[in-house]
Amino acid sequence: FSRCAAHRGQELEAWTRFIDINLANDFAAFETAVRAIPTSHNFFAADVDGNIGYWLSGRLPILPPGADPRLPKRSDGTEDWIGVQNATD
């Protein structure tokens, strides 16, 4: 059994981006901070003009073709991650 996390070792980066979210005074600054958070979270924001928004943060593994993301991966290495991408990309 092995376990991988796309955000492993980047938890401190998440906390510093949470501070950036609290300091954001417009949607652009909010979105910039959310896109930089490596851990997975759902964010909602609204402004005084009635605009609302939803963002998903985090980094997700890129699986090889044919690998089912719902199932455990084969132990022979054929379904190992081939990279990592931002959830918002």
Side-chain angles (χ1 to χ4, degrees), residues 61 63-74 78-81:
L63 300 174
D68 190 334
R70 301 168 298 169
L71 301 175
K73 305 301 165 253
R74 296 180 188 273
T78 60
E79 294 183 341
D80 286 353
W81 297 358

Side-chain angles (χ1 to χ4, degrees), residues 11-30:
E11 295 82 3
L12 185 58
E13 176 69 18
W15 285 108
T16 57
R17 296 307 134 221
F18 283 122
I19 293 170
D20 292 343
I21 286 173
N22 288 324
L23 298 175
N25 53 12
D26 60 20
F27 276 131
F30 185 89

Side-chain angles (χ1 to χ4, degrees), residues 6-82:
H7 63 271
R8 186 180 195 114
Q10 300 176 10
E11 295 82 3
L12 185 58
E13 176 69 18
W15 285 108
T16 57
R17 296 307 134 221
F18 283 122
I19 293 170
D20 292 343
I21 286 173
N22 288 324
L23 298 175
N25 53 12
D26 60 20
F27 276 131
F30 185 89
E31 182 175 11
T32 299
V34 168
R35 285 180 171 267
I37 295 175
T39 52
S40 296
H41 303 277
N42 295 297
F43 291 96
F44 297 90
D47 65 12
V48 295
D49 297 324
N51 299 306
I52 60 171
Y54 166 78
W55 293 266
L56 172 64
S57 71
R59 295 198 171 92
L60 305 173
I62 300 171
L63 300 174
D68 190 334
R70 301 168 298 169
L71 301 175
K73 305 301 165 253
R74 296 180 188 273
S75 62
D76 62 3
T78 60
E79 294 183 341
D80 286 353
W81 297 358
I82 55 176

